[in-house]
Amino acid sequence: MRLLRFARSPLEIVLLERRSDYRCAGVAYHRDGNPWGHAFNIQAGRMSAFREDVHDFIRWANSEADREDWPAPWAGTTFTEGGPAPRRIFQNYLIDRLAEARREACPGVVLVEADGEAVDMEVRSSGVDVTVRHFSLNSADKGSRGGQSREATVLFADRVVLATGLELREPPYAAEVLDHESFVRNPYSEAGVRKLMTLPPGATVAIVGSVLSAYDSAGLLLRQGHTGKIHLVSRTGTVFRTYPADHEHEVVRLPCPKTLLEPYLDRQEFLARVRSAWEAACSTVVREHPGIHPTVVAERVAKAWEPHLPKAIELIPSAELRWLLDEFGTAIAAFRVGAVEYTMEVIERAMHPADGTVQLVVGKVAGIKPTESGGLTVSVDAGNGTRSIETDLVISHFSRESDYGRVGQPLWKNLLRRGMAVPHGRTGRGLEVDGRGALLGPGGEAVGPLFAVGVLREGDEIVRNGRTGAFTFNLAAIKNHSIAVAAHVIETLEPGGDALAESLAEYYARSSNIKEVERVEFEEAVTLEVRRMATRTRSDREIKDSRLDSCIRAAGELPNLSMDTSRRDRLMRAVVNRAAVERLTDISVTPKQLRRQLGIANS
């Protein structure tokens, strides 16, 4: 969508999808794996695809969505900013917004939707050869290419954006039962959902995990009247909190916790410092922000610490950093995000009585074995001994593989083998990328015109931006990645775009010499570019684009840079665009604050 919006000259975008049912949906939102009872973890008002248009999803759901086949109560729901919404409708939302971006693109800017699996790539001097298995075009795109379909096709691309999403990790404890009829490996698959929907109500169930995805399965069973025991097996015993009904995302300012910037000695000493600083920060929020609900104080502190974490992380040895992330990853995620009442109320109600339907079992799953009766036995190492749970069904929640050295997909095996991708060294999560999302090779150099979006950048988000929990790869991160990568790709495809890099560096080095009058003109240009990038209709974008060109031509000369007018205007355009991207992706403010800062709050 961002490429379609940003491009001003002819561009062909091939959107390649390995699974056709995942198109515009992925594992999180596709209809076959998300029954109507699966709601967004966060409020519907935070699900807009556009950070600068925070209420877009709500507007679509209330006034544009086709509700013809929606069941009660969703069919009659008026969606609110703080309320729930079913996850499966997000696929329709993205389909509609992608179609709109396609219609409103500039002449010559086209989208080709293709099915197939990218299995290998080779960087050429002029671009990238992408090897695709089972390549075929969607019916709407077959006219231009004849609808070819082969076992393997090589597509040439000037630029490649990798947005491959979560990778599945095979659980070692379930090696004996992966194909067992009583074991659900992927509860977000059509087969997995069917198994849960047809389970006898009195059956005993074990769900491996106690985080938000586990609540989906437990909630699905409970909402259809399940009466048998449901065991949530969790290594840490972490239970997520419920957002208050009037919860809104907010950013508070806290001073840098100085103790986190002391030299790292050992785990015990470091954890003691963190706990002390954390408790002090929570007390500060409670004291200075009495209006903040107690259940979200931890979220406010975790967000406020983000700008300070990169410096603190620099002091931690890589091996220790990896251990800390592995050991406390779930707890960090629970501090950083909660879940809406719609999801949590049915779980909490079933957990409260001493003999409630849902029970939390704290311990590590040591193994799962079949029983003679056709069920499964789950062995849990609880620290003080092993507990065995006899079950009729075991649900193993989507355990993602964050170490790309262990991902089994052929694309990643080949990219790592060729040195075109490198697992993130400091964290072991995601890949090495630069600040603009370009993939880096073993020597830290850019390996070609390859860019990453989403979970591929998890480790980099941690060490570069201090992001924690799911915020390293969730929708908020994807929105920002998409803006920055699309803008950078468009910039490098402009005539002479690559050659502008040196001039840009020189410009930034001397930008302190800009005169005040030129700063005012520059600010006006950046404001226009922000609004152009945030505009959905082509006609409005063209008007802003024309005004921006006039503004740039009227601006003063760049400091100490002599060049012809055409090159100077292209350089100024790139500088203005980069400044606009920085503002659109500013994570120090909420989307609502961003709109006010950008002057588009009432547009």
Side-chain angles (χ1 to χ4, degrees):
M1 285 188 271
R2 295 296 184 180
L3 286 167
L4 288 165
R5 281 190 180 187
F6 294 170
R8 298 181 301 143
S9 55
L11 176 69
E12 181 182 64
I13 305 160
V14 178
L15 185 57
L16 183 68
E17 176 56 64
R18 186 170 62 196
R19 292 185 51 167
S20 58
D21 57 326
Y22 275 16
R23 184 170 292 283
C24 289
V27 67
Y29 308 115
H30 73 113
R31 289 183 285 266
D32 292 340
N34 283 280
W36 285 98
H38 283 185
F40 298 128
N41 297 326
I42 59 176
Q43 300 92 333
R46 295 171 66 182
M47 291 304 298
S48 169
F50 310 108
R51 191 162 186 262
E52 72 280 10
D53 191 358
V54 65
H55 290 137
D56 185 59
F57 173 75
I58 294 291
R59 287 198 307 271
W60 173 87
N62 284 330
S63 60
E64 298 178 47
D66 181 359
R67 302 193 183 197
E68 184 176 348
D69 62 347
W70 289 20
W74 299 118
T77 296
T78 298
F79 295 99
T80 62
E81 185 176 352
R87 273 214 300 266
R88 59 183 288 132
I89 70 173
F90 200 66
Q91 184 171 16
N92 289 341
Y93 166 63
L94 292 184
I95 288 172
D96 284 357
R97 287 296 178 256
L98 183 62
E100 176 191 71
R102 192 177 196 168
R103 290 193 305 271
E104 296 294 333
C106 289
V109 178
V110 298
L111 174 69
V112 175
E113 296 184 76
D115 293 331
E117 180 182 10
V119 295
D120 201 359
M121 294 181 191
E122 187 169 357
V123 175
R124 305 289 186 186
S125 59
S126 55
V128 185
D129 283 338
V130 183
T131 302
V132 183
R133 286 181 185 163
H134 312 296
F135 177 76
S136 63
L137 301 178
N138 285 2
S139 56
D141 298 307
K142 287 184 178 179
S144 61
R145 294 190 177 214
Q148 65 265 48
S149 177
R150 308 178 196 169
E151 180 62 26
T153 300
V154 177
L155 300 179
F156 175 79
D158 295 286
R159 305 289 184 269
V160 173
V161 178
L162 295 160
T164 50
L166 306 179
E167 297 291 346
L168 195 66
R169 175 191 293 174
E170 295 299 342
Y173 54 77
E176 295 184 41
V177 296
L178 286 175
D179 297 322
H180 197 281
E181 63 178 9
S182 296
F183 183 78
V184 176
R185 176 64 194 93
N186 183 1
Y188 295 105
S189 65
E190 183 178 8
V193 169
R194 188 185 314 113
K195 194 157 287 188
L196 268 66
M197 298 286 282
T198 58
L199 188 69
T204 300
V205 178
I207 301 177
V208 181
S210 65
V211 295
L212 296 176
S213 58
Y215 299 157
D216 284 338
S217 292
L220 177 61
L221 292 171
L222 292 169
R223 289 181 194 282
Q224 63 185 25
H226 194 82
T227 57
K229 287 289 184 185
I230 300 173
H231 302 276
L232 295 180
V233 185
S234 167
R235 181 178 62 85
T236 63
T238 301
V239 176
F240 278 67
R241 58 199 156 76
T242 304
Y243 281 128
D246 59 349
H247 175 67
E248 282 194 31
H249 184 40
E250 184 183 348
V251 177
V252 299
R253 308 295 178 184
L254 294 175
C256 176
K258 300 297 185 184
T259 57
L260 294 189
L261 303 183
E262 296 172 4
Y264 187 92
L265 300 178
D266 56 50
R267 295 174 187 176
Q268 184 175 356
E269 184 271 344
F270 175 74
L271 291 173
R273 280 192 280 128
V274 171
R275 290 190 182 101
S276 176
W278 179 266
E279 290 168 2
C282 289
S283 296
T284 298
V285 171
V286 171
R287 181 177 64 255
E288 297 182 1
H289 302 273
I292 292 179
H293 196 282
T295 60
V296 296
V297 168
E299 178 185 288
R300 299 292 191 257
V301 173
K303 173 61 181 173
W305 276 17
E306 279 182 1
H308 314 304
L309 288 184
K311 287 186 177 180
I313 289 171
E314 284 181 8
L315 303 173
I316 305 174
S318 296
E320 292 293 283
L321 178 60
R322 292 188 180 202
W323 180 86
L324 290 165
L325 291 171
D326 289 340
E327 186 69 16
F328 298 104
T330 301
I332 291 171
F335 283 139
R336 191 66 181 85
V337 71
V340 294
E341 184 179 8
Y342 175 88
T343 298
M344 296 299 297
E345 63 177 348
V346 66
I347 308 293
E348 292 177 340
R349 189 165 59 244
M351 290 180 74
H352 278 314
D355 60 346
T357 306
V358 177
Q359 293 185 345
L360 181 65
V361 179
V362 181
K364 181 179 180 180
V365 176
I368 303 176
K369 295 184 178 296
T371 65
E372 293 183 0
S373 62
L376 297 171
T377 298
V378 181
S379 298
V380 180
D381 183 358
N384 57 353
T386 300
R387 174 181 175 181
S388 294
I389 304 173
E390 299 289 331
T391 71
D392 299 296
L393 188 74
V394 174
I395 304 167
S396 180
H397 262 273
F398 199 97
S399 178
R400 63 186 182 88
E401 181 56 75
S402 56
D403 182 351
Y404 280 74
R406 297 195 295 225
V407 172
Q409 297 295 341
L411 174 64
W412 295 113
K413 287 185 174 180
N414 286 326
L415 290 185
L416 266 64
R417 174 180 56 82
R418 291 179 179 272
M420 295 168 61
V422 177
H424 195 261
R426 291 278 280 132
T427 65
R429 288 162 160 74
L431 303 172
E432 292 285 356
V433 296
D434 68 12
R436 309 192 75 180
L439 262 61
L440 300 179
E445 75 290 349
V447 296
L450 306 175
F451 303 90
V453 166
V455 70
L456 308 176
R457 293 166 62 168
E458 179 182 5
D460 188 71
E461 283 290 328
I462 294 171
V463 301
R464 188 185 301 274
N465 297 321
R467 305 286 263 174
T468 55
F471 282 82
T472 56
F473 61 86
N474 70 350
L475 184 60
I478 291 170
K479 292 177 192 178
N480 275 3
H481 293 169
S482 299
I483 292 170
V485 167
H488 185 48
V489 165
I490 297 299
E491 176 191 304
T492 61
L493 289 173
E494 294 281 345
D498 290 326
L500 286 176
E502 292 183 12
S503 296
L504 278 167
E506 189 175 354
Y507 172 80
Y508 281 118
R510 302 179 182 181
S511 60
S512 59
N513 298 326
I514 301 178
K515 298 175 183 177
E516 187 60 34
V517 64
E518 292 168 345
R519 288 192 182 281
V520 173
E521 293 170 339
F522 179 75
E523 285 297 317
E524 181 184 355
V526 173
T527 299
L528 279 170
E529 178 68 344
V530 164
R531 293 178 178 177
R532 183 191 74 86
M533 296 173 76
T535 299
R536 286 163 53 174
T537 62
R538 183 203 306 175
S539 58
D540 286 347
R541 278 199 307 273
E542 288 173 345
I543 292 171
K544 292 178 175 65
D545 201 39
S546 177
R547 290 176 58 196
L548 179 58
D549 283 339
S550 298
C551 185
I552 287 174
R553 284 194 297 270
E557 289 297 321
L558 296 172
N560 302 319
L561 289 179
S562 58
M563 57 184 67
D564 63 76
T565 301
S566 174
R567 181 172 173 77
R568 173 253 185 205
D569 287 351
R570 292 203 309 273
L571 175 58
M572 274 301 296
R573 184 95 195 204
V575 171
V576 167
N577 179 260
R578 289 193 180 190
V581 168
E582 288 180 6
R583 296 184 189 184
L584 279 171
T585 58
D586 181 3
I587 61 174
S588 69
V589 295
T590 68
K592 286 186 176 180
Q593 291 170 330
L594 180 76
R595 285 175 64 80
R596 290 194 292 271
Q597 287 184 8
L598 299 178
I600 56 176
N602 298 316
S603 62

